[in-house]
Amino acid sequence: MNMLLSTALALCYLSCVLGYTVTIYPEYLVQGGRTNFDPDRWNGKMGLDNPGILPYVKKTGARTGRWLNSDLGYFDKVTEDPKRTGYPNPAFFQDAQFQHNLVEKYLDNLNGYGKHRPIMLELKGYQWPHWMDTSEHKGNFPNNLDAAAETISLFVQAIHNGTNGAVPPYFEPINEPNTLAKLDVNWTTIVNVFELVAKKVKAVHPNVRIGGPAFTAGITTMDKWNFNKWSTITQFMNMSLGLLDFFSFHPFNHFSVQGNRHHFYGPNEARLVGTVDMVETYANMISGKDIPVIFSAHGLSTVTGIDVQKPSTFLDWAYINLHNSNIFTFLELRYVVERAVSFLLNYTDRKGQESINYSILDKHHNERDIALAFHLWENLTSTMKFLRSESQFHQAERQIQSHVLVEPTSKMLTILLHNYDTAQANVTLAFDKGWETLTQGTSTCLYLNNRKATQLDKEVPVHVKGNHVTVPPEATCFLQFPTGYRFTHVPLVYESVHYGDNMLVTIDKKTAHMNIMLDSSDLQHIMVARLRISVSILDHAANCIPASMTINGITLHSFYILHNPSNNDTQRLWATIEYHVPTAILKTANAVSMTFAQDKGRVAAIALSLRKVQGPSSRMP
């Protein structure tokens, strides 16, 4: 199999000409103020680890990213304050033995994985003291929300005291609170609790970053019933903007198998990017600035067409492939996405084989195939810097997603390619003005082999001619090549994203109009500009691509479509499209006009991405 893959990744001459092109520039790309790859933003998995299992998890390249259900087993034991009826007793949380029991496992993980690797904290919110009046919520949630928030605040203080100040730096007061609706807890109650908790905790611990709503399930159906669920998000954001520090939600995809065919559906690249644009557009409309986003859980949810109670190497691959494709998208959004935690665990059989399916290890601490989701990334280090790369505008769905890194000291170039297509992809790596020519290197590829099992081929030698490579179907490949380029005095290219002045604009008389405002300084030294639009159409037979797209009266012709395999599984069609924008047509006030072939749809959001140079304009060979 290694020989077959080596052949596939070797020179492909005429056959590659009709494939995809990725253009690479000898310029550092700065997104969100950062240039370097940061493994600890992306390698987190779910749940704390016992000391005995921690070394085995660590070998996979994964680490604990989120402390789950920290309140369970404690909140139901909290005593009532004898001096304040209906409120928790502070002395309960000040007990030294209580604090020790509470934080012992957390400290094991913090010390075992490294104190510089942050672990998020969240509460389940299902368990409360028996003496709290919960009659308004059928016995499931306190009537007195201030008392509930006080309990949570004292809990955080106990963690702070028990760890000598090493409280988790990221805190979500309740995990997936939208699921509390089944316990007769409405959304207004949830929003009020988050606000009360944030104010109480920040009064004592201003450096703890508090966020939410840790919303789950809504992305797939965000546009269902004419974006009915969006009002839930805006209600939370109206409270949180200016008070909370980040917005969090849980993009869980689904996997469908029908005979020999399979596909993912849900918050794929197109819907995920479009949803982030909606969140950021609303944040900018209300507060005038971006809100950091954290995907505090991401992964695979429902599976159809496979018996989840039977071991399946094919299903293992689905978990791994989805994990990798998510990371590729998160990296593209890293100007606003701060970190992500994968819903993969060390080992659990709580639901039988269904739970084992998303376990990294088996019950004997041996690695399962799932561990490859982390092994693939373990050689990417914080000394690597992102180079600017650009996808081609080919008027079709972009099947190849790419990122490019370089280690400046060793001059080793790492090219990350993810193939969404079920067919082999031919890729031309175009180096702007010929600054590099590839010859020999290595390839590390993760893909589904002909036995329907995941295969990771590490550091396979490749010989390249004409900068042409191929990527296997639905594969993730990291290609590494030594270069002779001196990465000194490298220009810095800063990316900024500017959002429309409106959102969820109804397509009326087949047209939609919005504006994007820029400062005069934004117009200086622009190297490349892209306009991204997200469109939702009710008619499944319709075309989501605008018949005409203009900025300031100038028609945009070149575009690509973000990957979206799931339109047959949702109520409405969705498309996220990126257009090439000639920089000379941009002004401080930019009128964006779209014409469609039909009505009964909405333009969810638009975003203008600008990449501007700062630094030496000459390139040192």
Side-chain angles (χ1 to χ4, degrees):
M1 185 61 72
N2 280 4
M3 184 174 294
L4 290 174
L5 184 60
S6 180
T7 302
L9 284 162
L11 68 102
C12 59
Y13 217 27
L14 296 176
S15 62
C16 284
V17 175
L18 299 178
Y20 298 91
T21 298
V22 176
T23 304
I24 303 168
Y25 299 80
E27 303 157 356
Y28 292 144
L29 178 61
V30 184
Q31 290 181 296
R34 290 177 275 204
T35 306
N36 289 58
F37 182 82
D38 184 353
D40 293 328
R41 292 170 66 184
W42 320 113
N43 63 6
K45 61 123 192 104
M46 207 61 60
L48 298 178
D49 298 324
N50 290 323
I53 206 171
L54 192 150
Y56 298 95
V57 175
K58 197 171 183 179
K59 287 179 181 178
T60 70
R63 67 171 187 87
T64 292
R66 197 162 181 244
W67 180 359
L68 294 175
N69 305 331
S70 60
D71 56 325
L72 296 188
Y74 295 108
F75 272 26
D76 58 334
K77 298 179 177 63
V78 173
T79 57
E80 187 175 15
D81 189 345
K83 300 178 182 178
R84 196 180 184 198
T85 301
Y87 278 80
N89 187 355
F92 176 88
F93 296 93
Q94 295 163 1
D95 179 78
Q97 188 61 50
F98 166 77
Q99 293 178 2
H100 171 79
N101 295 341
L102 174 62
V103 305
E104 182 180 20
K105 191 173 181 180
Y106 166 67
L107 286 176
D108 287 338
N109 282 251
L110 195 64
N111 294 324
Y113 290 110
K115 293 183 178 179
H116 60 289
R117 295 185 166 96
I119 297 173
M120 299 186 69
L121 172 69
E122 57 95 328
L123 280 65
K124 187 71 172 177
Y126 279 34
Q127 239 179 39
W128 297 94
H130 66 87
W131 48 264
M132 278 191 172
D133 186 358
T134 56
S135 59
E136 294 178 7
H137 306 288
K138 297 181 179 178
N140 296 309
F141 205 82
N143 297 354
N144 185 341
L145 302 186
D146 187 69
E150 184 76 9
T151 305
I152 295 173
S153 178
L154 289 171
F155 186 73
V156 174
Q157 181 64 40
I159 295 173
H160 178 273
N161 292 344
T163 60
N164 292 320
V167 64
Y170 298 92
F171 176 43
E172 294 165 303
I174 300 177
N175 180 49
E176 298 184 348
N178 50 303
T179 62
L180 291 175
K182 63 187 179 184
L183 301 180
D184 201 41
V185 183
N186 65 36
W187 190 248
T188 298
T189 298
I190 295 301
V191 171
N192 291 338
V193 168
F194 269 75
E195 180 177 12
L196 289 168
V197 170
K199 289 178 178 178
K200 288 177 180 290
V201 173
K202 282 182 171 292
V204 182
H205 305 288
N207 293 327
V208 173
R209 302 189 64 188
I210 303 175
F215 197 84
T216 187
I219 303 174
T220 305
T221 56
M222 186 66 72
D223 57 341
K224 191 175 182 180
W225 308 124
N226 203 21
F227 289 87
N228 176 265
K229 286 188 177 180
W230 179 245
S231 61
T232 303
I233 301 300
T234 57
Q235 184 183 358
F236 186 88
M237 294 183 71
N238 289 340
M239 174 277 295
S240 64
L241 291 172
L243 175 62
L244 270 61
D245 302 291
F246 62 88
F247 184 89
S248 65
F249 56 97
H250 297 170
F252 280 104
N253 270 264
H254 314 279
F255 187 56
S256 175
V257 179
Q258 296 174 314
N260 292 324
R261 304 183 67 180
H262 64 271
H263 72 279
F264 296 94
Y265 66 96
N268 47 60
E269 183 190 25
R271 282 187 177 271
L272 186 59
V273 171
T275 302
V276 170
D277 282 347
M278 290 173 63
V279 168
E280 296 305 325
T281 298
Y282 193 78
N284 276 269
M285 289 170 59
I286 299 301
S287 68
K289 60 182 181 180
D290 296 351
I291 178 74
V293 171
I294 293 179
F295 299 118
S296 49
H298 70 92
L300 184 57
S301 181
T302 57
V303 176
T304 57
I306 294 180
D307 186 349
V308 296
Q309 291 299 344
K310 293 181 179 179
S312 169
T313 57
F314 185 32
L315 185 54
D316 290 343
W317 168 84
Y319 276 96
I320 298 166
N321 180 269
L322 177 62
H323 174 91
N324 290 335
S325 65
N326 280 346
I327 298 298
F328 267 74
T329 301
F330 301 161
L331 290 177
E332 194 152 297
L333 295 170
R334 65 188 181 277
Y335 56 87
V336 70
V337 174
E338 190 156 310
R339 61 186 56 251
V341 182
S342 178
F343 192 80
L344 297 174
L345 286 76
N346 52 34
Y347 173 78
T348 177
D349 59 359
R350 186 171 63 90
K351 297 180 180 179
Q353 182 63 41
E354 182 181 357
S355 298
I356 296 174
N357 291 334
Y358 48 80
S359 299
I360 300 171
L361 308 173
D362 66 19
K363 62 182 179 181
H364 302 296
H365 300 173
N366 298 311
E367 291 185 11
R368 300 183 65 252
D369 281 354
I370 296 295
L372 295 175
F374 295 100
H375 275 305
L376 180 69
W377 299 85
E378 63 185 340
N379 290 327
L380 300 187
T381 68
S382 59
T383 62
M384 294 179 171
K385 294 179 178 291
F386 284 93
L387 293 182
R388 178 166 77 97
S389 63
E390 306 288 351
S391 298
Q392 69 179 114
F393 295 91
H394 61 311
Q395 288 64 250
E397 185 171 301
R398 183 179 68 174
Q399 298 287 2
I400 288 290
Q401 199 169 2
S402 63
H403 299 283
V404 181
L405 297 159
V406 69
E407 208 296 311
T409 303
S410 66
K411 305 176 186 177
M412 183 65 72
L413 191 69
T414 301
I415 301 168
L416 285 58
L417 300 172
H418 183 80
N419 182 11
Y420 287 106
D421 205 344
T422 54
Q424 177 176 286
N426 301 318
V427 183
T428 299
L429 303 172
F431 292 86
D432 182 55
K433 299 180 181 178
W435 69 271
E436 184 61 50
T437 300
L438 303 181
T439 54
Q440 297 184 11
T442 61
S443 166
T444 294
C445 257
L446 190 149
Y447 58 98
L448 186 69
N449 64 24
N450 55 17
R451 299 187 305 278
K452 289 222 165 187
T454 307
Q455 183 149 335
L456 176 63
D457 290 340
K458 298 187 71 172
E459 299 181 357
V460 178
V462 292
H463 305 275
V464 178
K465 286 186 179 180
N467 291 339
H468 302 310
V469 299
T470 63
V471 183
E474 296 183 288
T476 306
C477 293
F478 294 178
L479 309 176
Q480 290 195 307
F481 300 94
T483 74
Y485 194 87
R486 294 206 313 270
F487 289 91
T488 55
H489 308 292
V490 176
L492 298 177
V493 175
Y494 288 80
E495 181 172 70
S496 60
V497 180
H498 309 264
Y499 300 93
D501 62 351
N502 204 351
M503 60 184 299
L504 300 182
V505 173
T506 300
I507 300 172
D508 182 34
K509 297 179 182 178
K510 301 181 180 180
T511 62
H513 307 277
M514 290 186 237
N515 300 291
I516 295 178
M517 308 303 294
L518 301 175
D519 292 331
S520 57
S521 59
D522 295 325
L523 300 174
Q524 300 174 11
H525 310 299
I526 301 174
M527 304 189 73
V528 62
R530 299 193 310 266
L531 176 68
R532 185 167 61 235
I533 70 168
S534 293
V535 182
S536 174
I537 301 289
L538 183 60
D539 184 1
H540 271 242
N543 185 358
C544 284
I545 311 301
S548 173
M549 164 66 68
T550 67
I551 290 187
N552 300 327
I554 306 298
T555 300
L556 307 180
H557 298 285
S558 300
F559 64 89
Y560 56 78
I561 308 165
L562 298 192
H563 179 64
N564 183 8
S566 64
N567 271 329
N568 291 332
D569 302 281
T570 52
Q571 185 191 68
R572 301 168 68 101
L573 293 178
W574 183 283
T576 299
I577 310 140
E578 295 206 353
Y579 289 85
H580 170 69
V581 179
T583 58
I585 71 173
L586 293 175
K587 305 175 182 179
T588 53
N590 299 277
V592 178
S593 297
M594 293 151 275
T595 302
F596 295 86
Q598 70 289 308
D599 290 328
K600 296 184 179 179
R602 285 191 175 193
V603 179
I606 63 174
L608 179 67
S609 170
L610 304 179
R611 291 183 170 180
K612 301 172 54 177
V613 69
Q614 179 177 321
S617 58
S618 60
R619 294 173 180 167
M620 304 296 291

